[in-house]
């Protein structure tokens, strides 16, 4: 019970006998007595499948599921078409290892090649890798790509996601790069006076943490004028309608792929994607799939440019990345293929329109106003008198309100929410703020 | 087969979303995209068949024996998949208020507790998304600890020459210099070389135990003492924990910090390369340095920060927890014994068939063959043998690793294989050995039954084509 051994006890006895061993103790002769455990672990007894199911379902039942989610801040509640989860659940994809053996792994390799192509198309850049852990670690890996002997500073936008900033800082604590935080002025990145010839790269997020659209081209020009690379952190769900980062000057684009068909899942597993311009291609970390042919000239896909990687280069590798998020990348590919260019454009347009609808309606209430001027995408910050009460009022009706920031809320609307849900939200906010309205 | 882009036809697609129910709002012109991304335009039926065709060209644990050394390709219980798909887990936003995510927090706490019991560590973080990510995190704990004591000169991480490539790569990313420790002829850490390498610059030692040649470092208590006496800490790479879980604990061997691979030892699937999960455990004195999350709850004042957004690869943790509940208190040792038994059983069969082990005697959960002799005698390499296995429907073992063994093939059968599967693998490999002597050419040509033959990897690397090139350029 409780171990998934297929062999019956008698069959295992026969295996021991074939080895001339009397039993399990003989297997561990090299383990010193002093460190050998002499009994079962201090854990509950093994459970049957039905008992495990009950326990896990009880855990899931202790969470509150909101019927309407108006919170983003790095994780987005988009509609996931049925085909996406069904196709991504195919056992051959789920239970395969990294495709080391190309001849029996063409399916996984081709799916990654297709993913890389889609990421190049979305970002307007030349080469993409097979994925890394998430958007935050992708940003940190991108910063490391830009370092050279003379340039060891990274300028990071203070209007980027706080988890991304913190992750870049942690990676730089490791590598010894210096991180300079660019202040956010009226919610947008201000690079004034920060760029010198020690700066390797500038990291900006588009749309930024507050949902605002940055003047990407101007930021890229400033970075390039100082000889630094521009890294763009982008939300891929916006790229059906927003200009590709490669087109406004980004040398590297990274981001969180979760909006492309991955459930919220309390934060993971998600999908870090990375794309770069041609000159930086060989600095990309992690797996990259390339096209080649076999001896008969048949098209074939392989893991390539492995001279960058840890199993070949060891301490001189461009990164230590080994496992990535291949199944999440496959999920995103299925999503993008199903939606197509028209569908992704609809997602972008509806996110934009619905977020602006909610913002307009909320701002009709007394005491509620947008915190920052200028264009935003599908997130926005409102100042309002009692964020805590507002959130409590919404929660009572099954609505997860905006993410609380000091004195305000960071709202998010996607294509998934209906006008009726948004109207109901506004009505509840109005009721909570009753003394004002 | 066709790429999905080659199946694309203009105007095709699916209607997934309803028309907008709010007034249209134009995207500001200066931000609007000028040229649409060339995503596939394909109907759902063709899309479905495309991925079915790709699935047929993939090979998972569901397809057959997968003795890939150091990767622990054990069976992935179906229950884990169903539990990870529960809406009460998948539908939870990572920034929901604490009182609405009690189930998630409890799942994390139960997993951390079980892993602490299994490893003998005091505290865990589930933040790292993979083994190498865990190594990086653990090494930053070591770095932060030395710094907190004003011990700035400890810049060297010691790594055995048999180590996984991620070990030195992670050490370099964490800002350390790497010093290699040679192995003895027996395949174990050379204690004299370790003593000589230890000094005031030693930050720590990274070690896998059992090591990558499948041997338990029987001098482990001496090894950890040497490093501690020199003022360093000892890091346990949990890639090979499957051999000893429930039998012996890294925390009792003198290790200070460790990572585990939930996607190896704890039966969560590999997904064709990920997602994995690489929890890091440590002794109490390192706990103040554990990561936190800027938005999801900060670490302490001395925290190293964070290594990814939010909390964890949570659904991977859910799968592992279902497995941990199944194992309970006695299952870990039963699984480990099964893994070691199967490895020794297959090793003996292959030795009887005429293969040569790199290291004789009993192994742990994996073992390494050297085909150096066969290469010299018959001109047949480890690669040839591996490729011939493909024609028999068996995933080859890890090739050319560890680096200290020439023409290495590293087998890890795991506990979830029945004896007849091992018997058949031994027969297949026996037959390949016969062909190596009688008809070596046929092995150079292998595989012949797969959808492609051996691909030209040199050309792929020299002239990289890493994306589809559309006909119109």
């Amino acid at each position: 019970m409780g171990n998934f051994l297929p062999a019956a006890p008698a069959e295992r006895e026969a295996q021991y006998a074939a080895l001339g061993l009397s039993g399990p103790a003989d297997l561990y002769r090299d383990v010193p007595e002093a460190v050998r455990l002499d009994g079962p672990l201090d854990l509950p007894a093994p459970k049957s499948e039905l008992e495990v199911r009950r326990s896990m379902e009880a855990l899931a039942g202790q969470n509150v599921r909101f019927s309407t989610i108006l919170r983003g801040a790095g994780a987005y509640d988009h509609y996931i078409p049925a085909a996406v989860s069904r196709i991504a659940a195919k056992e051959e994809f789920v239970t395969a290892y990294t495709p080391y053996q190309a001849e029996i792994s063409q399916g996984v390799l081709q799916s990654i090649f297709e993913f890389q192509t889609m990421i190049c198309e979305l970002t307007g850049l030349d080469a993409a890798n097979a994925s890394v852990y998430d958007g935050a670690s992708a940003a940190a890996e991108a910063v490391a790509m830009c370092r050279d002997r003379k340039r060891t500073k990274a300028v990071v936008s203070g209007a980027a996601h706080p988890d991304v900033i913190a992750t870049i800082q942690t990676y730089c604590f490791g590598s010894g790069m210096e991180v300079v935080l660019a202040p956010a002025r009226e919610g947008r990145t201000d690079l004034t006076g920060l760029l010198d010839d020690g700066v390797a790269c500038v990291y900006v997020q588009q749309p930024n943490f507050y949902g605002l659209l940055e003047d990407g081209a101007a930021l890229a020009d400033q970075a390039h004028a100082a000889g630094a690379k521009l890294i763009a952190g982008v939300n891929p769900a916006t790229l059906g309608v927003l200009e590709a980062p490669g087109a406004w000057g980004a040398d590297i684009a990274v981001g969180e792929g979760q909006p492309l068909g991955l459930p919220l899942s309390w934060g993971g597993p998600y999908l870090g994607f990375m794309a770069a311009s041609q000159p930086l291609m060989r600095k990309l970390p992690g797996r990259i799939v390339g096209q080649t042919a076999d001896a008969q000239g048949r098209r074939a896909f392989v893991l390539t440019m492995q001279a960058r990687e840890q199993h070949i280069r060891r301490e001189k590798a461009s990164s230590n990345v080994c496992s990535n998020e291949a199944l999440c990348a496959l999920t995103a590919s299925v999503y993008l293929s199903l939606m197509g260019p028209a569908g992704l454009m609809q997602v972008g347009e509806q996110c934009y329109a619905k977020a602006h609808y909610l913002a307009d309606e909320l701002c009709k209430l007394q005491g509620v106003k947008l915190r920052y001027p200028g264009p935003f995408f599908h997130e926005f910050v409102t100042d309002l008198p009692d964020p805590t009460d507002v959130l409590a009022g919404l929660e009572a009706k099954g609505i997860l309100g905006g993410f609380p920031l000091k004195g305000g809320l960071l709202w998010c609307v996607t294509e998934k929410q209906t006008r009726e849900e948004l109207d109901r939200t506004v009505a509840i906010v109005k009721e909570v703020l009753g003394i004002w309205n | 087969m066709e790429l999905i882009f080659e199946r694309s036809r203009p105007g095709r697609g699916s209607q997934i979303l309803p028309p907008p129910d709010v007034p249209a709002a134009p995207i500001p012109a200066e931000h609007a995209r000028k040229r649409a991304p060339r995503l596939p335009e394909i109907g759902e039926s063709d899309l479905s068949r495309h991925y079915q065709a790709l699935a047929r060209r993939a090979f998972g644990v569901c397809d057959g024996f997968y003795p890939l050394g150091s990767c622990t390709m054990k069976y992935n219980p179906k229950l884990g998949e169903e539990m990870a798909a529960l809406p009460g887990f998948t539908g939870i936003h990572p920034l929901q208020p604490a009182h609405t995510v009690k189930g998630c927090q409890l799942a994390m706490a139960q997993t951390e507790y079980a892993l602490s019991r299994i490893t003998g560590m005091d505290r865990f973080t589930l933040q790292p998304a993979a083994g190498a990510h865990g190594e990086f995190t653990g090494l930053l704990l070591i770095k932060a600890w030395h710094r907190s004591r004003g011990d700035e000169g400890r810049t060297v991480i010691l790594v055995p020459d048999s180590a996984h490539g991620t070990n030195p790569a992670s050490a370099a990313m964490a800002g350390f210099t790497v010093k290699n420790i040679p192995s003895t002829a027996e395949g174990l850490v050379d204690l004299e070389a370790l003593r000589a390498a230890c000094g005031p610059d030693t930050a720590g030692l990274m070690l896998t135990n059992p090591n990558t040649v499948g041997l338990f470092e029987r001098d482990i208590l001496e090894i950890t003492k040497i490093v501690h006496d020199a003022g360093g800490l000892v890091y346990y790479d949990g890639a090979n924990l499957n051999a000893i879980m429930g039998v012996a604990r890294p925390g009792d061997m003198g290790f200070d910090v460790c990572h585990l691979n939930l996607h190896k030892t704890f039966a969560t699937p590999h997904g064709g390369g990920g997602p994995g999960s690489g929890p890091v455990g440590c002794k109490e004195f390192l706990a103040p340095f554990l990561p936190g999350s800027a938005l999801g709850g900060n670490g302490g004042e001395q925290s190293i920060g964070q290594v990814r957004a939010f909390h964890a690869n949570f659904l991977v943790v859910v799968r592992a927890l279902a497995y941990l509940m199944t194992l309970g208190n006695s299952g870990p040792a039963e699984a480990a014994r099964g893994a070691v038994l199967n490895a020794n059983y297959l090793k003996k069969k292959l030795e009887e068939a005429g293969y040569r082990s790199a290291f004789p005697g009993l192994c742990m959960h994996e073992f390494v063959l050297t085909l150096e002799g066969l290469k010299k005698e018959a001109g047949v390499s480890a690669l040839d043998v591996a490729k011939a296995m493909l024609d028999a429907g068996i995933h080859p073992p890890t090739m050319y690793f560890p680096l200290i063994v020439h023409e290495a093939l590293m087998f890890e059968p795991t506990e979830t294989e029945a004896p007849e599967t091992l018997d058949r693998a031994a027969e297949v490999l026996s037959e390949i050995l016969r062909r190596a002597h009688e008809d070596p050419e046929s092995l150079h040509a292998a595989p012949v039954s797969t959808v492609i033959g051996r691909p030209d990897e040199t050309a792929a690397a020299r002239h990289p084509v890493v994306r589809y090139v559309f006909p119109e350029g």
Side-chain angles (χ1 to χ4, degrees), chain A residues 49 53 57, chain B residues 77-86:
Chain A
E49 174 167 331
R53 180 184 291 275
E57 286 177 348
Chain B
K78 298 290 167 277
L79 180 64
E81 298 309 303
E82 285 203 10
M83 297 302 98
L86 288 175

Side-chain angles (χ1 to χ4, degrees), chain A residues 3 28 71 90-91 239 266, chain B residues 52 78 92 95 243 334:
Chain A
N3 52 35
Y28 291 101
R71 186 170 292 189
K90 285 182 193 294
E91 219 176 340
L239 292 177
W266 204 52
Chain B
Q52 186 59 36
K78 298 290 167 277
I92 307 302
L95 297 174
E334 288 164 7

Side-chain angles (χ1 to χ4, degrees), chain A residues 103 298, chain B residues 387-388 390-391 443-450 452-454:
Chain A
E103 297 87 343
R298 287 177 291 199
Chain B
K387 294 302 178 193
L390 296 175
D391 282 326
L443 295 182
H444 301 320
V448 294
S449 62
T450 46
I452 57 160
R454 293 189 204 185

Side-chain angles (χ1 to χ4, degrees), chain A residues 306-359:
Chain A
Q306 299 193 65
R308 304 163 294 113
E309 291 189 67
Q310 45 79 26
H311 59 288
I312 310 283
R313 290 292 295 280
R314 298 177 80 82
E315 63 266 31
K316 294 188 182 65
S318 59
S319 164
N320 69 343
V321 169
C322 185
S323 285
N324 52 36
E325 309 288 301
L327 192 62
C328 303
L330 184 139
T331 309
S333 302
V334 178
Y335 176 85
L336 288 169
S337 304
L338 189 65
M339 299 308 283
L344 195 67
M345 191 182 277
Q346 283 175 21
V347 168
E349 285 171 350
Q350 293 201 18
C351 285
Y352 187 87
K354 291 187 180 199
H356 283 73
Y357 176 79
L358 178 65

Side-chain angles (χ1 to χ4, degrees), chain B residues 393-455:
Chain B
I394 297 176
H395 194 289
T398 296
M399 309 181 299
Y400 299 96
F401 184 83
L403 307 179
I404 56 171
V405 176
H406 295 293
E407 294 296 326
L409 286 180
M410 180 201 234
F411 290 79
E412 181 181 7
T414 84
E415 73 277 15
T416 60
E417 299 298 339
E420 66 270 23
T421 305
L422 308 177
D423 291 340
R424 176 172 178 266
E427 281 160 25
V428 164
L429 278 152
S430 177
E431 169 64 14
I432 290 172
L433 195 57
R434 187 190 61 74
R435 279 167 61 198
H437 291 294
E438 292 172 11
D439 183 13
E441 277 312 309
S442 73
L443 295 182
H444 301 320
V448 294
S449 62
T450 46
V451 293
I452 57 160
R454 293 189 204 185

